[in-house]
Amino acid sequence: ETGVTQTPRHLVMGMTNKKSLKCEQHLGHNAMYWYKQSAKKPLELMFVYSLEERVENNSVPSRFSPECPNSSHLFLHLHTLQPEDSALYLCASSPGPGLLSYEQYFGPGTRLTVT
Amino acid sequence: AQKVTQAQTEISVVEKEDVTLDCVYETRDTTYYLFWYKQPPSGELVFLIRRNSFDEQNEISGRYSWNFQKSTSSFNFTITASQVVDSAVYFCALSEARGGAQKLVFGQGTRLTINP
């Protein structure tokens, strides 16, 4: 595997379910990100992890819970979601930390539908 | 606050036409970086170019070219002789450092459709 991978690619869940999104980067990077992309707000930064420490929580509701067990893996735990949470969830990584110049590398995303 | 504006929501042109995507940014930082990303229908954002605030030279890469003008806070992207495979959503982004990690502020994106 190369680059940034995300699983599952598609997920349909009910509002009472609990599920997790997984992201893995094979680039040796130190920073990882979760973004939400919906029709209303194209790309919203949700969380930033640098060296496995959360450095940004962009006013995200507590029904989204991130976890970064090591610099290669990032999870987004979901529970009691709302239909408006349906979106494409993108994971990204960058060499980091604190380096403005590096581009972020994105995974293919998980298309989430909340019913 | 940092802000990126892509005023063109959608553009549709016929193949082989030239097309320019506009990007205007706001920042109080003296050192910053600008990026362009392409998002094809598959969903994955693909990095196209990075430009730092001290380098105003225009850049050309094949059919792609970028015009960075600090005086007007713009970083426009031109595709010459467009092709159907160029159809995608294009995002302009500005980087800032937050809490020890880089944060990208994205524009709203421009959906580009190249018709055969």
Side-chain angles (χ1 to χ4, degrees):
Chain A
E1 293 271 21
T2 58
V4 180
T5 58
Q6 290 185 244
T7 55
R9 294 294 308 276
H10 300 272
L11 178 63
V12 179
M13 60 185 288
M15 289 190 285
T16 58
N17 291 159
K18 290 184 180 180
K19 296 286 185 182
S20 295
L21 309 185
K22 179 183 176 182
C23 175
E24 185 173 0
Q25 58 97 358
H26 309 268
L27 301 167
H29 289 169
N30 292 314
M32 296 188 77
Y33 310 77
W34 278 117
Y35 289 88
K36 175 184 177 183
Q37 186 178 25
S38 62
K40 292 184 178 180
K41 292 187 180 180
L43 272 163
E44 294 178 82
L45 178 65
M46 300 176 72
F47 300 104
V48 179
Y49 275 83
S50 178
L51 296 173
E52 300 149 46
E53 180 182 342
R54 191 191 310 180
V55 297
E56 178 90 3
N57 177 348
N58 213 21
S59 302
V60 180
S62 59
R63 57 186 183 269
F64 295 91
S65 175
E67 179 190 1
C68 187
N70 55 61
S71 59
S72 298
H73 294 86
L74 185 65
F75 295 89
L76 187 63
H77 304 300
L78 316 171
H79 64 97
T80 58
L81 294 191
Q82 304 298 313
E84 60 263 31
D85 296 322
S86 298
L88 181 68
Y89 288 85
L90 291 161
C91 174
S93 70
S94 68
L99 296 172
L100 296 178
S101 62
Y102 286 102
E103 62 271 24
Q104 292 180 14
Y105 293 80
F106 285 80
T110 295
R111 175 69 64 185
L112 173 67
T113 303
V114 181
T115 60
Chain B
Q2 314 256 19
K3 186 179 178 182
V4 176
T5 301
Q6 294 178 256
Q8 304 149 309
T9 305
E10 294 191 32
I11 299 176
S12 181
V13 300
V14 177
E15 199 172 20
K16 297 184 183 178
E17 285 186 21
D18 298 347
V19 58
T20 295
L21 309 182
D22 298 333
C23 173
V24 175
Y25 62 92
E26 296 175 27
T27 180
R28 294 183 179 177
D29 294 342
T30 54
T31 301
Y32 52 89
Y33 286 80
L34 294 161
F35 302 81
W36 275 96
Y37 283 84
K38 173 183 180 180
Q39 186 178 37
S42 59
E44 182 174 343
L45 270 78
V46 178
F47 164 74
L48 295 178
I49 191 172
R50 169 184 60 238
R51 172 65 74 227
N52 77 57
S53 52
F54 297 106
D55 182 2
E56 290 196 66
Q57 270 194 326
N58 290 333
E59 182 155 342
I60 298 175
S61 177
R63 296 184 296 106
Y64 295 172
S65 62
W66 290 269
N67 183 358
F68 175 36
Q69 293 198 344
K70 212 167 177 178
S71 60
T72 56
S73 297
S74 65
F75 185 41
N76 296 337
F77 172 32
T78 297
I79 301 175
T80 303
S82 60
Q83 299 177 2
V84 173
V85 293
D86 296 326
S87 297
V89 180
Y90 290 85
F91 290 94
C92 179
L94 171 68
S95 71
E96 60 177 352
R98 292 282 293 272
Q102 178 215 62
K103 175 185 173 182
L104 285 179
V105 177
F106 284 88
Q108 302 93 317
T110 297
R111 181 176 298 278
L112 176 64
T113 302
I114 310 297
N115 299 298

